């Protein structure tokens, strides 16, 4: 037999809910770890006094009693585990594992026995049922009757709310009341909060984010009392799971987070986290309501009677001493801005995501804490609204998905390195160098799961970068906004210094008119938004880009997939192809990758020949010149008629129509006409410009 025994899917009852976990028996301790909350129960072997093996609803279970008065029950064992566990207990613990039968008669008349934290109802010396007194929230007495009320658990579909015991009067006990004695035994071990005595200390008007408001926090020996203007909350220290101290991104504030299970309740709202916000500059001098000997005896040097320092340090120090749990702080992660957190959004609310040493925590609305051991995989997804951000998705082993969106693109490298260092499975990991050695560590590697869309985007990105190195205008024209190139383009078309052909076409222009032209024309081009559509035309003569290995394989296998799956849709074909590509062997994939490499070399060779033959930039420049010449010929054809119409207008005094150039150059134009002109739509402006002669003609006629 080995030094340890481990059992998976072992269940522990917590306030009426079965929580699964893992139990490990070693020579020094018995350790149980809850899979849901991550809480660890550690039982030293020296404290074990009794062990029982019982038949329960979930198979078989063991009940362990300790010298400190605690009782631990774990269910979910198989019948064949008895001999193995019994032998281990005898050899290492010197404790005999005894078999104990349960009463299944169904009688409701028996004997109530108080055994430490348990109330056992026995029929003929066999236990019919047991009630953990820590689950009791209230105890009420009546005539010959005791009523026990229980804490409600949100994780259970059906909850036991109360149990009533009838306590018959006995003629021999005239001096004492058996009902009161029963109730006192229950209340001595029950989780009933009674604010008896003075508080250890009080923190006034603390800002609380969850639940929102300002609260006075009264620290009692066994519970925490939040007193606000509207609501009061009493939180037993036994419900505190973890404590977090997190610096705000502005480096001027601190979050203090208290994780609770079960949560505090207000109506139908459940608060699993208590979040306090402190300013680093706020200081406090604190005096405990205890004498120095009692402080030393109770807290063993963790606290002093008189303390002073920052407010958040005082609160966290007192809570750590009373709850007896460590405070979790961010590890060595640093984001792009140097902060230990990442700004993101979760469920349409902006907040901060803190990568910790053993998990992630998001504050503050709603707060989320995810431990690494409950994470199945993570995913880096493209932002839905803009390419300047990305989404970080976390999928748990229970099937829940958490999406943290709108993360700045600069944070990607830091977050990816952190996730990779923590050995979390990355869902959309591509073929990256240095990652192949980790295939055995990750269950969700790229060999097993293929992202066809991601691979295709990467291949096209590489080819686009290689193809666009030499000339800005080679890949037709950029669709993205580039201020520098756009300014140059405007200067080429409209500037007085653009080209000799343009200046020769406008002989007789004065220097003053040439200076005015760029400002007027540039202003018109800003209003003509449809102009950008001209840039989207692609060069049909250029060689087509090569396909990736996956796309080559898909084209060759598309007809086979259709024949094997008649009636399949286009989207289902892609999904089916992705699954088939995952199952293809490495040799087959290398064969298609070789074909893709050959196609890529052919494309590069064809592109070089295309450039040498004058394709690409020369073709696009010829098209631009043709457009410019065509535009100037149209203007020349319209000049005579436009000049005669303007002379008629001036002769007749008709002011109903004036071009933009005429109005801007005429000093006598009124402000009201300018207001009317601004209200005109873009289509009217374009029509006006097309039918109006250049400003040089106007100056000549004047």
């Amino acid at each position: 037999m080995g030094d340890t025994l481990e059992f998976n899917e072992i269940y522990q009852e917590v306030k009426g809910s079965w929580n699964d976990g893992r139990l490990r028996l070693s020579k020094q301790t018995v350790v149980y770890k809850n899979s849901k909350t991550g809480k660890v129960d550690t039982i030293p072997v020296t404290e074990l006094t009794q062990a029982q093996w019982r038949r329960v609803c979930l198979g078989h279970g063991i009940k362990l009693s300790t010298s400190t008065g605690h009782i631990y029950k774990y269910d979910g064992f198989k019948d064949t585990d008895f001999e193995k566990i019994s032998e281990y207990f005898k050899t290492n613990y010197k404790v005999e594992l005894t078999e104990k039968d349960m009463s299944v008669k169904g009688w409701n008349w028996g004997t109530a026995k108080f055994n430490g934290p348990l109330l056992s109802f026995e029929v003929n010396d066999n236990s019919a049922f047991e009630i953990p007194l820590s689950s009791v929230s209230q105890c009420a007495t009546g005539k010959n009757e005791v009523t026990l009320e229980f804490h409600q658990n949100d994780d259970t579909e059906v909850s036991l709310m109360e149990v009533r015991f009838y306590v018959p009067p006995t003629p021999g006990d005239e001096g004492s009341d058996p009902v009161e004695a029963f109730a006192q035994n229950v209340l001595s071990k029950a989780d009933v909060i009674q604010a008896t005595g003075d508080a250890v200390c009080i923190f006034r008007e603390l800002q609380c984010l969850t639940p929102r408001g300002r609260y006075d926090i009264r620290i009692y020996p066994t519970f925490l009392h939040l007193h606000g203007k509207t609501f009061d909350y009493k939180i037993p220290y036994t419900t505190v799971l973890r404590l977090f101290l997190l610096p705000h991104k502005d480096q001027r504030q601190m979050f203090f987070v208290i994780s609770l299970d079960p949560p505090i309740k207000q109506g139908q709202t459940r608060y699993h986290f208590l979040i306090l916000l402190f300013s680093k500059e706020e200081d406090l001098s604190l005096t405990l309501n205890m004498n120095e000997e009692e402080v030393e005896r109770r807290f063993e040097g963790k606290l002093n009677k008189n303390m002073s320092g920052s407010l958040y340090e005082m609160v966290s120090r007192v809570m750590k001493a009373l709850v007896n749990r460590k405070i979790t702080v961010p590890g060595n992660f640093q984001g792009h801005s140097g902060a230990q957190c990442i700004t993101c959004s979760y469920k349409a609310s902006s907040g901060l995501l803190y990568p910790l040493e053993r998990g992630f925590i998001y504050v503050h609305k709603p707060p989320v804490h995810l431990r690494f051991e409950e994470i199945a995989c993570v995913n880096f997804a493209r932002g839905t609204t803009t390419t300047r951000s990305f989404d970080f998705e976390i999928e748990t082993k229970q099937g829940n998905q958490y999406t943290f969106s709108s993360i700045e693109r600069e944070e990607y490298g830091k977050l990816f390195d952190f996730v990779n260092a923590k050995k979390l499975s990355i869902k959309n990991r591509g073929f990256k160098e240095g990652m192949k050695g980790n295939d055995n560590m990750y269950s969700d590697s790229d060999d097993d799961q293929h992202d066809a869309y991601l691979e295709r985007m990467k291949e096209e990105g590489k080819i686009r970068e290689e193809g666009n190195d030499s000339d800005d205008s080679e890949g037709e024209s950029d669709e993205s906004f580039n201020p520098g190139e756009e300014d140059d383009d405007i200067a080429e078309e409209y500037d007085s210094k653009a080209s000799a052909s343009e200046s020769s076409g406008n002989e007789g222009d004065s220097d003053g008119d040439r200076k005015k032209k760029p400002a007027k024309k540039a202003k018109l081009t800003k209003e003509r938004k449809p102009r950008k559509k001209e840039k989207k035309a692609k060069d049909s003569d250029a060689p087509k880009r090569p396909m990736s290995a996956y796309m080559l394989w898909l084209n060759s296998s598309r007809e086979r997939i259709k024949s094997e799956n008649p009636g399949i849709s286009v989207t289902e074909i892609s999904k089916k192809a992705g699954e088939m590509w995952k199952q293809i062997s490495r040799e087959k994939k290398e064969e298609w990758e070789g074909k893709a490499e050959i196609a890529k070399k052919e494309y590069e060779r064809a592109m070089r020949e295309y450039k040498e033959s004058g394709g690409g930039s020369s073709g696009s420049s010829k098209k631009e010149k043709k457009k410019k010449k065509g535009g100037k010929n149209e203007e020349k054809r319209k000049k005579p008629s436009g000049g005669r119409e303007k002379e008629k207008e001036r002769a007749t005094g008709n002011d109903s129509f004036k071009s933009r150039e005429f109005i801007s150059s005429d000093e006598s134009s009124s402000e009201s006409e300018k207001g009317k002109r601004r209200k005109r739509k873009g289509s009217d402006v374009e029509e006006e410009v097309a039918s109006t002669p250049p400003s040089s003609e106007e100056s000549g006629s004047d």
Side-chain angles (χ1 to χ4, degrees):
M1 185 177 291
D3 294 337
T4 60
L5 286 179
E6 291 194 8
F7 300 93
N8 295 325
E9 295 185 3
I10 302 300
Y11 294 87
Q12 182 185 41
E13 187 267 331
V14 179
K15 288 184 171 58
S17 174
W18 290 106
N19 293 339
D20 67 314
R22 175 182 293 181
L23 181 70
R24 185 181 67 185
L25 306 177
S26 64
K27 291 183 178 181
Q28 291 80 23
T29 57
V30 176
V31 180
Y32 178 80
K33 186 168 187 179
N34 192 320
S35 298
K36 178 192 171 189
T37 62
K39 187 177 179 181
V40 177
D41 293 335
T42 303
I43 309 170
V45 172
T46 55
E47 295 181 1
L48 280 178
T49 57
Q50 188 182 14
Q52 291 182 355
W53 179 267
R54 308 183 302 175
R55 179 67 185 267
V56 291
C57 62
L58 295 175
H60 292 81
I62 59 174
K63 177 183 174 183
L64 305 177
S65 302
T66 64
S67 58
T68 57
H70 293 88
I71 293 178
Y72 301 90
K73 295 189 295 183
Y74 304 109
D75 299 349
F77 295 96
K78 298 178 182 177
D79 191 14
T80 55
D81 294 333
F82 174 72
E83 294 182 2
K84 182 166 54 174
I85 297 174
S86 178
E87 182 68 23
Y88 192 89
F89 271 55
K90 282 182 182 180
T91 306
N92 298 290
Y93 301 159
K94 303 296 186 289
V95 175
E96 186 177 354
L97 185 64
T98 59
E99 293 189 70
K100 182 72 174 176
D101 294 330
M102 304 289 289
S103 175
V104 292
K105 290 185 176 181
W107 292 5
N108 64 345
W109 185 266
T111 305
K113 291 185 178 180
F114 291 92
N115 182 14
L118 288 179
L119 168 59
S120 177
F121 186 81
E122 297 184 355
V123 178
N124 295 337
D125 293 332
N126 288 332
S127 178
F129 63 87
E130 293 175 337
I131 298 176
L133 295 178
S134 60
S135 299
V136 177
S137 64
Q138 193 57 260
C139 179
T141 59
K143 185 179 179 181
N144 298 333
E145 191 175 75
V146 179
T147 303
L148 305 185
E149 296 180 6
F150 302 100
H151 291 288
Q152 187 178 356
N153 195 328
D154 297 330
D155 296 332
T156 58
E157 295 181 0
V158 180
S159 296
L160 178 65
M161 300 305 296
E162 70 174 31
V163 171
R164 292 185 181 183
F165 291 94
Y166 174 74
V167 183
T170 54
D173 297 335
E174 294 179 357
S176 61
D177 187 0
V179 173
E180 287 297 328
F182 190 100
Q184 288 302 319
N185 284 329
V186 172
L187 290 173
S188 63
K189 298 292 183 181
D191 189 12
V192 179
I193 299 174
Q194 296 175 341
T196 58
D198 296 329
V200 176
C201 60
I202 301 175
F203 298 100
R204 302 283 184 186
E205 291 290 324
L206 296 185
Q207 184 181 356
C208 193
L209 300 180
T210 306
R212 191 175 62 175
R214 287 195 173 270
Y215 291 85
D216 291 343
I217 297 183
R218 305 173 191 269
I219 306 293
Y220 287 90
T222 58
F223 68 95
L224 182 72
H225 184 198
L226 268 70
H227 176 69
K229 293 181 179 179
T230 309
F231 302 111
D232 277 14
Y233 302 98
K234 293 177 181 178
I235 305 170
Y237 295 141
T238 54
T239 64
V240 176
L241 280 180
R242 293 176 184 84
L243 303 174
F244 301 91
L245 189 61
L246 309 170
H248 197 280
K249 193 171 185 179
D250 60 10
Q251 302 298 326
R252 296 196 303 268
Q253 301 179 95
M254 296 290 290
F255 293 109
F256 185 63
V257 183
I258 302 174
S259 176
L260 304 173
D261 185 49
I264 56 178
K265 306 168 186 176
Q266 183 57 53
Q268 296 299 318
T269 307
R270 303 292 183 265
Y271 298 106
H272 291 269
F273 293 88
L274 177 66
I275 303 180
L276 303 172
L277 182 63
F278 299 97
S279 173
K280 284 187 175 182
E281 300 174 354
E282 195 171 355
D283 296 332
L284 177 71
S285 295
L286 183 66
T287 302
L288 301 183
N289 191 16
M290 303 168 71
N291 56 48
E292 293 185 0
E293 291 78 10
E294 192 176 357
V295 171
E296 182 64 30
R297 177 178 56 81
R298 181 158 190 168
F299 301 113
E300 300 175 352
K302 296 178 182 177
L303 296 178
N304 301 321
K305 181 176 175 59
N306 298 306
M307 297 179 291
S308 62
S310 299
L311 179 58
Y312 73 89
E313 289 180 354
M314 294 295 100
V315 174
S316 58
R317 189 174 172 185
V318 170
M319 286 297 298
K320 180 181 178 182
L322 286 167
V323 178
N324 198 21
R325 294 194 180 276
K326 295 180 180 179
I327 295 179
T328 304
V329 296
N332 54 5
F333 174 82
Q334 273 198 340
H336 175 71
S337 61
Q340 293 179 297
C341 57
I342 295 172
T343 304
C344 62
S345 297
Y346 176 65
K347 290 188 176 180
S349 295
S350 181
L352 300 173
L353 179 67
Y354 290 84
L356 308 174
E357 287 301 316
R358 295 185 180 180
F360 294 96
I361 185 169
Y362 172 83
V363 290
H364 81 290
K365 194 174 181 181
V368 177
H369 179 232
L370 299 169
R371 293 172 286 117
F372 289 155
E373 57 194 35
E374 62 180 336
I375 294 176
C377 62
V378 300
N379 182 27
F380 293 88
R382 179 180 294 177
T384 55
T385 58
T386 176
T387 56
R388 295 184 180 273
S389 64
F390 67 94
D391 297 348
F392 183 57
E393 300 171 354
I394 299 178
E395 188 173 336
T396 63
K397 294 176 182 177
Q398 287 79 20
N400 299 323
Q401 185 167 342
Y402 300 86
T403 302
F404 303 98
S405 58
S406 302
I407 303 176
E408 293 181 0
R409 188 170 53 185
E410 290 79 12
E411 303 284 4
Y412 174 79
K414 299 279 187 180
L415 187 57
F416 182 87
D417 293 341
F418 176 82
V419 170
N420 198 34
K422 296 301 178 184
K423 299 181 180 179
L424 296 177
S425 178
I426 301 176
K427 192 173 183 180
N428 58 351
R429 185 195 299 274
F431 289 106
K432 291 183 181 245
E433 295 181 3
M435 298 299 175
K436 296 181 180 178
N438 295 333
D439 286 347
N440 296 331
M441 298 166 134
Y442 296 95
S443 59
D444 200 7
S445 62
D446 194 67
D447 292 341
D448 301 326
Q449 185 166 351
H450 173 74
D451 193 337
Y453 179 75
L454 181 66
E455 184 179 345
R456 182 181 174 186
M457 292 298 104
K458 287 180 179 178
E459 289 292 332
E460 290 185 0
K462 289 179 184 177
I463 296 168
R464 195 178 294 112
E465 287 177 3
E466 293 171 1
N468 292 340
D469 282 342
S470 60
D471 196 359
D472 292 334
S473 61
E474 199 243 330
E476 290 76 49
S477 59
D478 294 335
E479 296 181 13
S480 60
F481 177 67
N482 193 334
E485 292 182 8
E486 195 165 321
D487 290 341
D488 295 342
D489 195 11
I490 292 170
E492 183 181 349
E493 257 187 88
Y494 299 103
D495 199 358
S496 57
K497 300 177 183 179
S499 61
S501 61
E502 189 176 350
S503 60
S504 62
N506 294 326
E507 292 178 2
D509 288 357
S510 62
D511 293 337
D513 292 330
R514 286 178 186 173
K515 289 178 182 176
K516 290 179 184 177
K517 266 204 274 184
K520 294 174 192 172
K521 297 282 184 176
K523 188 173 181 182
L524 289 175
T525 53
K526 286 180 183 177
E527 294 178 2
R528 290 194 296 180
K529 292 180 182 177
R531 182 178 173 277
K532 286 187 178 179
K533 290 183 180 178
E534 299 174 2
K535 289 194 169 188
K536 291 187 179 178
K538 292 189 176 181
D539 191 355
S540 58
D541 298 331
K544 292 185 178 179
R545 295 191 179 96
M547 289 186 286
S548 63
Y550 171 74
M551 293 304 296
L552 289 172
W553 171 84
L554 177 60
N555 286 344
S556 66
S557 307
R558 194 185 302 275
E559 294 300 325
R560 179 167 58 86
I561 295 173
K562 284 183 180 178
S563 61
E564 293 176 356
N565 303 274
I568 191 171
S569 64
V570 177
T571 55
E572 291 294 327
I573 290 176
S574 301
K575 185 177 179 181
K576 185 72 176 176
E579 294 174 357
M580 294 172 64
W581 179 258
K582 282 193 288 185
Q583 299 172 0
I584 291 179
S585 63
R586 172 62 67 182
E587 291 77 15
K588 285 283 186 183
K589 286 185 180 180
E590 288 178 353
E591 178 183 342
W592 287 103
E593 286 171 0
K595 292 180 180 180
E597 190 65 28
I598 293 172
K600 182 180 177 182
K601 291 179 180 177
E602 287 290 328
Y603 168 77
E604 292 174 351
R605 182 186 57 77
M607 183 57 76
R608 283 196 299 269
E609 293 177 357
Y610 181 68
K611 289 179 187 176
E612 292 171 0
S613 62
S617 60
S618 61
S620 61
S621 61
K622 286 177 183 177
K623 289 178 182 177
E624 289 178 3
K625 288 180 181 178
K626 286 180 181 178
K627 287 180 183 178
K628 290 178 189 175
K629 288 180 181 179
K632 286 172 183 174
N633 291 334
E634 275 187 294
E635 288 182 358
K636 288 178 181 179
R637 283 196 298 272
K638 290 178 181 179
K639 274 180 188 178
S641 61
R644 284 192 291 270
E645 286 175 5
K646 200 166 284 293
E647 288 175 5
K648 287 179 182 178
E649 287 174 9
R650 290 177 183 172
T652 58
N654 184 15
D655 294 335
S656 61
F657 173 83
K658 291 186 180 182
S659 67
R660 185 178 292 274
E661 289 82 2
F662 174 77
I663 293 171
S664 60
S665 60
D666 191 0
E667 296 178 356
S668 63
S669 59
S670 63
E671 292 297 325
S672 61
E673 290 172 345
K674 290 182 180 178
K676 292 177 184 178
R677 189 171 62 255
R678 288 193 193 99
K679 291 180 182 177
R680 293 190 180 183
K681 295 183 180 178
S683 58
D684 295 333
V685 173
E686 289 180 7
E687 191 177 334
E688 209 176 351
V689 173
S691 61
T692 305
S695 57
S696 59
E697 290 289 320
E698 294 171 13
S699 60
S701 62
D702 288 335

